[in-house]
C-alpha cells in the first residue's frame, strides 16, 4: 500500500489524481491532501479519502475545514500554511508526493519532498523552471526519484531507454521533439489577439486544465516553460529540443535516436494517463482513459511554431541561456502577467511585453542559492506590478 500526499488536490491535476487513486484503493492510500482556499471541495475529498492530514493555505480556511471535520467521524488532522505543506511533503509516513500546486507556491513543499528522498510525481513545472539546477542537485543528493507528469515530459520519459532516470545525461539521442497544440489562437489573425478575453484564452481546444496553464498554453509560454523543464529533467539544452506544433495533441512528444529511429508516445489527451504512469511506475495500471481511435483522428499534422505570434517561446529560451536567476524572473513576471490578464488589468498581447520589460530591467544573478531565487522572484513580481500600474 503506497501512501500518497497530493499537493494541490482541488485543482485539475489533483482531481484527476484522486480519480485514478479511487479505482485502485488496494494499491494507494491518501496520506494528505492540500488546497489553497477551496474548503468545500477539500471537505468532500476528506469524506471520500479519509486522509491523515488536510492542509489549507491560510488559518481562516483551515478553521472552516476543522469545524466541518469535527462534525464527522473523521480523524483527519487539519494543518495550515507553508509549515503544514512541508510537514505533509516530508513526513516519514509518505511514499509518493504528487506535486500539483500551480506556480511558484509549489517550490518549497516540492523541495521538502525532494530533500526527504520521496518519489515525486512532478506536475508543478514552475518549481523546476525557477530552480532547476538546485532542484535536480537536491534530488540526486537525497535519492529522490522524479517522475515527470507534464504530458510531454512523461512521453519523453516513456520513450527513453529502460533504466533511464530523470537527471541522467542522454545517451545515443539526437534530439527531443517537444509537441505543442498551439493553443486556441494558433490561427487567429494577429490583430485580433489584442482583444481576446480570459474566457477565450482558457478554452483550450484539446485539454481541460487550470486557468493559469490554459493562458500559458494560449501564449505558448507553457511550451517555453516546458522547454526549460525538459532541459533540467533530461540534462540537455534548448539546441537539442525542437518544438513541433501538433494541433491534434495525440503524440505527446518524441525522442530521436542516433540511428534515426523516432519513438513517440501517443494517447488521448487526458492527464490521467501520465498520472497513472507515475502512480503505478514501474508497473502499468488502469487509468480510466478511453482507447485512442486513430481511425477517427485520421490525420496528424505538424508545423513550426510562429515566433512572431508567440514571443514567449523566445523569451523562455533566452532566460534559459542567461542562466542563474533569469528563469525565476521570467516565471515570476509571467505569473503576475497572467493574473493581471485574467483580472482584466492588461490585454492578452501585453503578457509578453510585460515579461520582456521585466527581464530587461532585472539583472539575473549567477550561481544562485534558493534565497537568491526567492529574492529575484519577489523583485520581478514587484517590478511587473509597478509596470502594470504605470500602464506598461
Ligand atoms: P489548478 O489551478 O487547477 O490547481 C492548482 C492547485 O494548487 C489547487 O489545488 C489550488 O488550491 C492549489 N494552489 C493554488 N495556489 C496555491 C498556493 N498559493 N498555495 C497552496 N496551494 C495553492 O492548476 P492545474 O491545472 O491542476 O495545474 C497544477 C500544476 O500542474 C501547474 O504547475 C501546471 O503547470 C501543471 N500541469 C497541469 C496540467 C493540466 O492538465 N492541468 C498539465 C501539465 C502540467
Ligand atoms: Mg504539458
Amino acid at each position: 500500500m503506497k501512501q500518497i500526499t497530493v499537493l494541490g488536490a482541488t485543482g485539475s491535476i489533483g482531481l484527476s489524481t484522486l480519480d485514478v487513486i479511487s479505482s485502485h484503493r488496494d494499491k494507494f492510500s491518501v496520506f494528505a491532501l492540500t488546497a489553497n482556499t477551496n474548503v468545500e471541495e477539500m471537505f468532500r475529498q476528506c469524506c471520500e479519502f479519509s486522509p491523515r492530514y488536510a492542509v489549507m493555505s491560510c488559518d481562516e480556511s483551515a478553521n472552516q475545514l476543522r469545524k466541518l471535520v469535527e462534525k464527522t467521524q473523521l480523524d483527519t488532522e487539519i494543518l495550515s500554511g507553508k509549515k503544514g505543506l512541508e510537514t505533509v511533503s516530508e513526513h516519514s509516513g509518505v511514499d509518493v508526493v504528487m506535486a500539483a500546486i500551480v506556480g511558484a507556491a509549489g517550490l518549497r513543499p516540492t523541495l521538502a519532498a525532494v530533500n526527504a528522498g520521496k518519489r515525486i510525481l512532478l506536475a508543478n513545472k514552475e518549481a523546476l523552471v525557477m530552480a532547476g539546477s538546485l532542484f535536480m542537485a537536491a534530488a540526486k543528493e537525497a535519492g529522490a526519484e522524479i517522475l515527470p507528469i507534464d504530458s510531454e515530459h512523461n512521453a519523453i520519459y516513456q520513450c527513453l531507454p529502460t533504466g533511464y532516470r530523470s537527471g541522467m545525461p542522454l545517451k545515443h539521442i539526437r534530439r527531443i521533439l517537444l509537441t505543442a497544440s498551439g493553443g486556441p489562437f494558433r490561427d487567429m489573425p494577429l490583430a485580433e489577439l489584442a482583444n481576446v478575453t480570459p474566457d477565450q484564452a482558457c478554452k483550450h481546444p484539446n485539454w481541460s486544465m487550470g486557468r493559469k496553464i490554459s493562458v500559458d498554453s494560449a501564449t505558448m509560454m507553457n511550451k517555453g516553460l516546458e522547454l526549460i523543464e525538459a532541459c533540467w529533467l533530461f540534462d540537455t539544452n534548448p539546441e537539442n529540443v525542437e518544438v513541433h506544433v501538433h494541433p491534434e495533441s495525440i503524440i505527446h512528444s518524441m525522442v530521436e535516436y542516433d540511428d534515426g529511429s523516432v519513438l513517440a508516445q501517443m494517447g488521448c489527451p487526458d492527464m490521467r494517463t501520465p498520472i497513472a504512469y507515475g502512480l503505478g511506475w514501474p508497473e502499468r495500471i488502469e487509468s480510466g482513459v478511453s482507447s485512442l481511435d486513430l481511425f477517427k483522428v485520421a490525420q496528424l499534422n505538424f508545423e513550426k511554431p510562429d515566433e512572431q505570434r508567440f514571443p514567449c517561446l523566445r523569451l523562455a529560451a533566452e532566460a534559459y541561456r542567461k542562466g542563474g536567476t533569469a528563469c525565476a524572473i521570467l516565471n515570476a513576471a509571467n505569473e503576475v502577467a497572467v493574473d493581471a490578464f485574467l483580472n482584466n488589468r492588461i490585454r492578452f498581447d501585453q503578457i509578453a511585453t510585460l515579461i520582456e520589460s521585466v527581464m530587461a530591467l532585472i539583472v539575473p544573478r549567477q550561481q544562485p542559492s534558493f534565497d537568491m531565487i526567492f529574492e529575484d522572484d519577489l523583485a520581478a513580481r514587484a517590478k511587473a506590478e509597478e509596470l502594470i500600474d504605470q500602464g506598461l
Side-chain angles (χ1 to χ4, degrees):
M1 199 70 157
K2 278 190 201 134
Q3 299 288 332
I4 320 273
T5 282
V6 184
L7 302 172
T10 55
S12 163
I13 294 287
L15 292 173
S16 294
T17 304
L18 292 175
D19 184 74
V20 176
I21 289 177
S22 69
S23 46
H24 297 282
R25 301 279 197 154
D26 54 325
K27 292 189 176 74
F28 308 110
S29 168
V30 175
F31 183 84
L33 297 170
T34 88
N36 198 18
T37 51
N38 190 345
V39 174
E40 201 180 323
E41 173 60 19
M42 181 52 91
F43 179 60
R44 191 197 66 72
Q45 294 183 1
C46 286
C47 295
E48 188 176 344
F49 295 96
S50 319
R52 185 156 153 204
Y53 294 101
V55 187
M56 302 301 296
S57 283
C58 62
D59 290 343
E60 193 190 330
S61 303
N63 288 337
Q64 287 173 15
L65 181 64
R66 203 170 283 118
K67 280 198 191 111
L68 292 173
V69 166
E70 274 165 7
K71 290 186 198 137
T72 68
Q73 303 290 318
L74 289 170
D75 53 11
T76 300
E77 193 177 325
I78 315 297
L79 307 176
S80 68
K82 288 181 185 155
K83 188 82 204 55
L85 286 176
E86 286 180 19
T87 302
V88 299
S89 299
E90 65 194 13
H91 198 288
S92 59
V94 177
D95 302 306
V96 179
V97 174
M98 166 55 82
I101 290 176
V102 61
L107 176 55
R108 278 182 211 274
T110 306
L111 202 61
V114 166
N115 287 330
K118 305 298 182 195
R119 177 176 295 173
I120 317 286
L121 309 190
L122 187 70
N124 177 215
K125 66 192 85 184
E126 295 91 345
L128 209 49
V129 168
M130 289 174 75
S133 160
L134 293 174
F135 189 100
M136 294 307 290
K140 198 171 174 189
E141 195 178 323
E145 251 159 5
I146 313 281
L147 295 174
I149 297 302
D150 209 348
S151 58
E152 296 76 3
H153 306 73
N154 186 268
I156 295 161
Y157 196 84
Q158 293 197 41
C159 294
L160 288 173
T162 312
Y164 180 83
R165 299 285 175 270
S166 297
M168 286 180 177
L170 297 176
K171 277 194 200 142
H172 310 302
I173 283 164
R174 279 187 196 157
R175 59 178 180 146
I176 287 171
L177 292 77
L178 185 68
T179 55
S181 70
F185 306 138
R186 190 172 52 92
D187 293 324
M188 183 178 270
L190 280 181
E192 287 176 30
L193 284 181
N195 303 319
V196 301
T197 63
D199 283 344
Q200 280 176 298
C202 289
K203 215 161 171 238
H204 196 279
N206 307 332
W207 298 92
S208 149
M209 311 182 284
R211 283 173 81 78
K212 193 263 179 182
I213 185 177
S214 296
V215 177
D216 284 347
S217 298
T219 60
M220 279 193 85
M221 179 55 95
N222 184 48
K223 215 45 57 181
L225 300 177
E226 290 185 358
L227 176 75
I228 300 168
E229 184 185 12
C231 290
W232 291 119
L233 281 173
F234 308 119
D235 190 22
T236 186
N237 55 62
E239 285 66 45
N240 295 332
V241 183
E242 198 177 340
V243 176
H244 285 58
V245 174
H246 163 46
E248 293 84 8
S249 299
I250 295 298
I251 294 185
H252 301 310
S253 277
M254 298 171 256
V255 170
E256 183 179 296
Y257 284 79
D258 283 344
D259 61 4
S261 298
V262 178
L263 302 195
Q265 187 264 358
M266 302 196 273
C268 294
D270 186 322
M271 288 306 292
R272 288 176 301 172
T273 295
I275 290 167
Y277 178 90
L279 285 169
W281 190 89
E283 272 153 37
R284 297 274 180 172
I285 59 170
E286 195 42 77
S287 65
V289 175
S290 48
S291 287
L292 178 60
D293 185 347
L294 280 174
F295 297 118
K296 210 164 147 197
V297 176
Q299 277 198 2
L300 300 177
N301 290 284
F302 302 94
E303 56 195 56
K304 281 189 190 287
D306 175 346
E307 290 187 7
Q308 199 195 346
R309 179 182 296 270
F310 300 117
C312 287
L313 259 181
R314 168 180 55 84
L315 294 175
E318 275 172 23
Y320 184 83
R321 271 185 217 105
K322 281 188 192 166
T325 56
C327 291
I329 294 167
L330 169 96
N331 179 66
N334 181 55
E335 286 190 26
V336 174
V338 170
D339 186 70
F341 168 67
L342 286 173
N343 289 295
N344 299 303
R345 292 171 67 209
I346 63 171
R347 295 190 315 264
F348 181 78
D349 59 314
Q350 290 178 311
I351 295 176
T353 319
L354 179 60
I355 299 165
E356 187 151 24
S357 303
V358 173
M359 284 177 66
L361 290 167
I362 303 207
V363 183
R365 293 182 288 171
Q366 293 302 319
Q367 299 195 321
S369 61
F370 279 111
D371 284 344
M372 286 159 72
I373 287 169
F374 286 116
E375 281 162 20
D376 286 6
D377 166 277
L378 282 181
R381 283 170 201 273
K383 183 57 76 186
E385 289 292 352
E386 194 185 310
L387 292 173
I388 295 169
D389 288 343
Q390 290 167 3
L392 295 197

